[in-house]
Amino acid sequence: MPEITFREALRQTLREELLADERVILMGEDIGAYGGSYAVTKGFLEDFGPDRIRDTPISESVIVGCGIGAAMGGLRPMVELMTINFSLLAFDQIVNNAAKLCYMSGGQIHVPLVIRMASGAGSQLSSQHSHSLEGWYAHIPGLKVAVPYTPYDARGLLKTAFRDPNPVIFIEHTALYSRKGEVPEGDYSIPFGQAEVCREGKDVTLIGYSGSVYQANGAADLLAEQGHQAEVLNLRTLRPLDVEAIVASVRKTHRAVVVEDDWKFGGFAGEIAAIIMEQAFDELDGPVARVCGADVPMPYAKELEQAALPSERQIADAALALM
Amino acid sequence: MTQLAEKPTVKDLDKGQLIDLLRQMMLIRRFEEKAAEMYARQRIAGFLHLYIGEEAVAAGAIAAINHDDYIISHYREHGHALARGVDPGRVMAELFGRETGVSGGRGGSMHLFDVERFFMGGYAIVAGHLPIACGLALANQRLGNGRIVLCIFGDGAVNEGEFHEALNLAAVWKLPVLFLCENNFYGMGTDIRRVSSVIEVYKRARAYAIPAEQVNGMNVLEMYEATQRAARRVRSGQGPVFLEAITFRFRGHSMADPESYRRKEEVQEWRELDPIVTFRQKLEQDGVIDEATFQALQAEVEEVVNEATRFAEESPKPPPEALYRHVYEEES
Ligand SMILES: Cc1ncc(C[n+]2csc(CCOP(=O)(O)OP(=O)(O)O)c2C)c(N)n1
Ligand SMILES: [Mg+2]
């Protein structure tokens, strides 16, 4: 199987969608002439023209609202919001409109809209460019939230996003764009709500999504050095959430550590911990541990930024504490 | 008030159409009065925003566009839905929270939807639907279907960021949107003169190079004529047009409003301009209708509204088991 980057996997998929369906249009800030802030849509403007690859004003609210309306009106739009931090300016459109229109219209309106955005820290971009707010979107009924980890995930989940008749928030961790992984050449897709066991083990389950699966895998290596076999779960989507896979793994290992870049207080890791408690309490040998981002705005200085993010060592230590 | 460039001619309206405009306004008025009554009798709950006083705007504007042009509106939208031809029984059933309501009892007064009639909804986040209007228009533009979008909102919307984002995008992409601001001078209890640096709303649109004018929203013929001209331009592919309809709501913001913020005399002055009374007088003077025709119309709308109310009353309530239906559209 050929190895390609996460970015290339996204690019290939978008290109295929544009070629396959005239109704597909892309909108966002600097996705055309500039080629995309993370170069995902590089070359698209030349190949598909300005009617389908639409550079927008810096107006996040109308970018998303326009995507919603275009979807309602029969197109198959994808909008790009640069980063999740900027998506907050479109929060009204995403939460009050995209997520609720199907319900409040009694099922008459469908919003088949893909909203892509980058997330995560690690490049010293400090407080207003580095947050991981996936859990906020996962909180909203009416939305689906995809959080790919590998290039294989990126392609398979994006395919599914374009087939879904509901709004899909598609979140790409910036640390992943240049990572490589195997992606088959043929057509495939990954259904939403199916986590991947990316490493099998019997002693503890490390649960992560998006970029944090990388740290979880690293922690599993550290644990292996000490003779413990950690199982690593890559959630792939937060809504729908593969509760069965989580519970099945905990049944096997009887210990769980949830890893998340996002703030701990009130975050998605707490939701997972609660689900495990509700559905597998008797299987647990100890409390579910959480290793999350520190409860601070992301600092600039390298040492501080690193200290604010979950580390492999912290994850491994949290797991060891449960042994 | 800025005068229209051309006086309304309405030469293309025949007798039947003129009577239709009157009937439409009378239907909206009677429907709203009945809704208020049903609210008082606790058949209707939540917020109820009446359109009484503003009927000429909906009746005139909506008669002047095509039946398959999209309409997208704010939460004071009963009149717009009725003028579009949405079944009054299903609107009333929605207010009653019944399964047979246009939105299946999920939306209520502020969220009427009838996609079959290209009525794309009422929205209760002030200015939140203007971006969606751009998207519907973009779809029309790309699909080349010749349809336009009539986007209706209040004067309160013009100080929201989404208003400005949407006007700019519509202008720069030449989107087929007809923006229609119902300027009734108040956003809830706040007088526009107290919170807007520019109170002539149409001037805001001109700042985005959008052709814009003020219309007398108390006169159904002027509304019809101005909308017809605006729609023609929008349909021709030259981009959006903006109309500011000067109007007034005779009732409170919602049923919960004690109206402490405005003078009784101000309301009275506007009531003298009642769009139904004045249009009726005009049609009688012009010999289009006589007293008997008017009485017949009144009996007719009374019957429609009573029938709508009976339908709502007799309709089933949504079963609690259906709570989760429509959160997601099933995979297609
Ligand atoms: C974003 C937002 N802020 C505040 C409100 C509360 N609110 C509901 S209606 C309203 C006044 C809007 O006035 P206007 O747009 O002039 O419409 P009108 O009621 O006069 O028809 C306000 C402030 C809201 N619904 N949405
Ligand atoms: Mg107002």
Side-chain angles (χ1 to χ4, degrees):
Chain A
M1 253 192 277
E3 284 222 332
I4 59 171
T5 61
F6 190 93
R7 172 185 292 110
E8 185 57 29
L10 294 169
R11 187 184 296 150
Q12 277 184 9
T13 312
L14 289 174
R15 184 175 286 281
E16 281 171 13
E17 294 301 317
L18 282 157
L19 288 169
D21 189 347
E22 270 291 315
R23 296 173 311 154
V24 173
I25 59 164
L26 273 45
M27 298 188 276
E29 293 158 21
D30 282 315
I31 64 163
Y34 186 92
S37 307
Y38 295 94
V40 172
T41 52
K42 203 166 177 194
F44 282 21
L45 180 62
E46 292 74 10
D47 293 349
F48 299 101
D51 281 348
R52 299 184 68 195
I53 309 301
R54 304 183 81 101
D55 276 324
T56 64
I58 305 167
S59 306
E60 287 74 15
S61 208
V62 82
I63 294 170
V64 174
C66 188
I68 294 169
M72 285 161 63
L75 300 184
R76 198 58 180 89
M78 181 228 79
V79 302
E80 185 178 309
L81 285 178
M82 274 195 189
T83 88
I84 201 164
N85 309 274
F86 315 147
S87 80
L88 300 191
L89 281 89
F91 214 53
D92 171 47
Q93 288 300 328
I94 296 172
V95 178
N96 279 317
N97 288 334
K100 297 176 184 169
L101 273 164
C102 184
Y103 195 80
M104 67 185 194
S105 69
Q108 293 179 76
I109 301 258
H110 318 143
V111 184
L113 172 66
V114 180
I115 306 176
R116 289 181 42 246
M117 56 186 83
S119 172
S123 316
Q124 286 189 264
L125 299 176
S126 78
S127 301
Q128 297 184 334
H129 280 73
S130 306
H131 284 297
S132 301
L133 306 170
E134 292 82 350
W136 287 12
Y137 290 112
H139 183 60
I140 314 293
L143 298 180
K144 297 196 177 179
V145 180
V147 281
Y149 168 54
T150 62
Y152 180 83
D153 291 347
R155 183 163 154 76
L157 292 172
L158 190 54
K159 278 271 173 198
T160 303
F162 271 97
R163 301 287 163 281
D164 203 293
N166 298 285
V168 178
I169 309 293
F170 196 92
I171 297 169
E172 303 157 12
H173 196 295
T174 53
L176 300 176
Y177 280 124
S178 298
R179 291 240 177 88
K180 285 193 167 177
E182 288 188 341
V183 175
E185 302 214 9
D187 199 23
Y188 75 96
S189 61
I190 302 174
F192 286 172
Q194 288 190 12
E196 177 206 22
V197 178
C198 49
R199 176 170 180 144
E200 292 211 38
K202 61 177 179 44
D203 297 327
V204 61
T205 303
L206 309 180
I207 302 167
Y209 62 86
S210 186
S212 67
V213 184
Y214 184 82
Q215 279 78 32
N217 274 316
D221 288 339
L222 294 178
L223 289 166
E225 286 167 16
Q226 291 175 257
H228 301 292
Q229 295 174 24
E231 177 145 301
V232 178
L233 210 55
N234 164 18
L235 293 176
R236 283 181 168 158
T237 55
L238 299 186
R239 200 186 257 267
L241 180 67
D242 192 348
V243 173
E244 262 176 55
I246 296 170
V247 170
S249 183
V250 171
R251 282 219 176 92
K252 189 163 99 176
T253 65
H254 310 293
R255 298 176 187 91
V257 180
V258 190
V259 188
E260 182 175 45
D261 286 3
D262 194 1
W263 293 303
K264 185 175 191 173
F265 190 89
F268 196 76
E271 179 64 33
I272 296 176
I275 288 173
I276 295 171
M277 189 188 71
E278 287 168 348
Q279 305 203 17
F281 185 74
D282 293 336
E283 300 286 344
L284 288 171
D285 282 353
V288 177
R290 289 181 287 165
V291 181
C292 303
D295 274 333
V296 295
M298 192 57 71
Y300 164 69
K302 190 171 186 62
E303 299 69 23
L304 293 178
E305 183 182 47
Q306 287 310 311
L309 290 167
S311 71
E312 293 169 4
R313 190 66 260 165
Q314 281 174 325
I315 301 164
D317 287 347
L320 288 171
L322 297 173
M323 305 286 180
Chain B
M1 196 182 295
T2 306
Q3 284 302 308
L4 288 169
E6 302 155 38
K7 279 277 163 215
T9 55
V10 295
K11 51 181 171 292
D12 55 338
L13 284 181
D14 60 30
K15 181 176 169 179
Q17 289 170 309
L18 291 169
I19 293 175
D20 282 346
L21 288 175
L22 181 62
R23 180 193 290 111
Q24 190 61 258
M25 291 196 289
M26 291 169 67
L27 173 65
I28 296 170
R29 173 75 53 96
R30 194 66 201 105
F31 183 95
E32 294 292 61
E33 287 167 352
K34 182 64 91 181
E37 191 186 319
M38 291 298 123
Y39 183 90
R41 289 172 51 187
Q42 295 177 340
R43 296 293 195 284
I44 298 173
F47 284 144
L48 182 68
H49 308 95
L50 302 180
Y51 197 62
I52 292 174
E54 308 188 28
E55 295 90 344
V57 182
I62 292 169
I65 60 173
N66 296 341
H67 80 280
D68 60 351
D69 287 333
Y70 287 123
I71 296 175
I72 186 162
S73 182
H74 58 158
Y75 53 85
R76 193 183 298 286
E77 88 284 34
H78 308 165
H80 310 135
L82 294 175
R84 172 39 67 89
V86 179
D87 176 27
R90 297 196 59 211
V91 176
M92 192 63 90
E94 189 61 33
L95 306 190
F96 274 54
R98 301 300 163 103
E99 186 77 354
T100 54
V102 273
S103 306
R106 268 81 169 168
S109 160
M110 300 186 280
H111 306 297
L112 305 174
F113 287 82
D114 190 348
V115 172
E116 248 177 60
R117 287 182 183 72
F118 303 91
F119 192 79
M120 306 309 274
Y123 294 74
I125 303 297
V126 170
H129 61 299
L130 276 72
I132 298 181
C134 291
L136 288 166
L138 177 63
N140 288 346
Q141 191 185 57
R142 266 205 65 72
L143 299 172
N145 58 22
R147 307 205 303 243
I148 68 168
V149 181
L150 176 64
C151 175
I152 307 171
F153 49 92
D155 50 283
V158 308
N159 291 321
E160 286 283 9
E162 293 187 306
F163 170 88
H164 297 273
E165 291 191 16
L167 260 63
N168 178 62
L169 192 78
V172 79
W173 285 358
K174 291 200 174 348
L175 298 175
V177 187
L178 201 172
F179 292 104
L180 173 56
C181 178
E182 299 182 321
N183 184 358
N184 57 16
F185 298 99
Y186 290 89
M188 289 186 62
T190 303
D191 189 323
I192 186 172
R193 289 156 284 217
R194 291 202 287 128
V195 290
S196 284
S197 68
V198 174
I199 59 165
E200 295 95 342
V201 168
Y202 72 98
K203 288 185 181 166
R204 309 271 191 119
R206 288 190 182 165
Y208 293 101
I210 297 174
E213 65 185 50
Q214 244 176 19
V215 194
N216 177 3
M218 304 307 275
N219 182 316
V220 70
L221 293 182
E222 290 184 43
M223 274 313 303
Y224 178 88
E225 191 274 345
T227 307
Q228 197 180 46
R229 277 193 294 121
R232 199 176 296 140
R233 183 184 161 101
V234 172
R235 213 180 298 282
S236 74
Q238 296 176 83
V241 170
F242 190 103
L243 294 179
E244 174 190 0
I246 300 296
T247 184
F248 204 77
R249 61 171 161 72
F250 293 172
R251 299 288 187 96
H253 167 72
S254 70
M255 298 302 288
D257 177 5
E259 285 192 81
S260 54
Y261 51 86
R262 58 183 195 183
R263 294 175 300 114
K264 292 227 157 38
E265 300 78 50
E266 186 187 17
V267 181
Q268 195 45 46
E269 281 162 28
W270 281 92
R271 278 184 181 276
E272 316 263 298
L273 303 174
D274 188 315
I276 297 175
V277 173
T278 54
F279 190 53
R280 174 194 172 185
Q281 278 165 358
K282 180 182 161 47
L283 292 187
E284 283 180 356
Q285 273 158 20
D286 293 355
V288 179
I289 61 166
D290 54 19
E291 171 72 23
T293 320
F294 183 77
Q295 298 301 342
L297 285 174
Q298 217 161 22
E300 186 187 329
V301 300
E302 187 67 29
E303 173 59 26
V304 171
V305 170
N306 286 340
E307 172 58 26
T309 311
R310 194 192 54 75
F311 173 77
E313 194 103 53
E314 289 173 4
S315 286
K317 295 174 179 169
E321 311 85 80
L323 177 64
Y324 289 97
R325 238 182 111 203
H326 305 310
V327 176
Y328 292 96
E329 166 67 6
E330 299 306 316
E331 315 293 312
S332 55

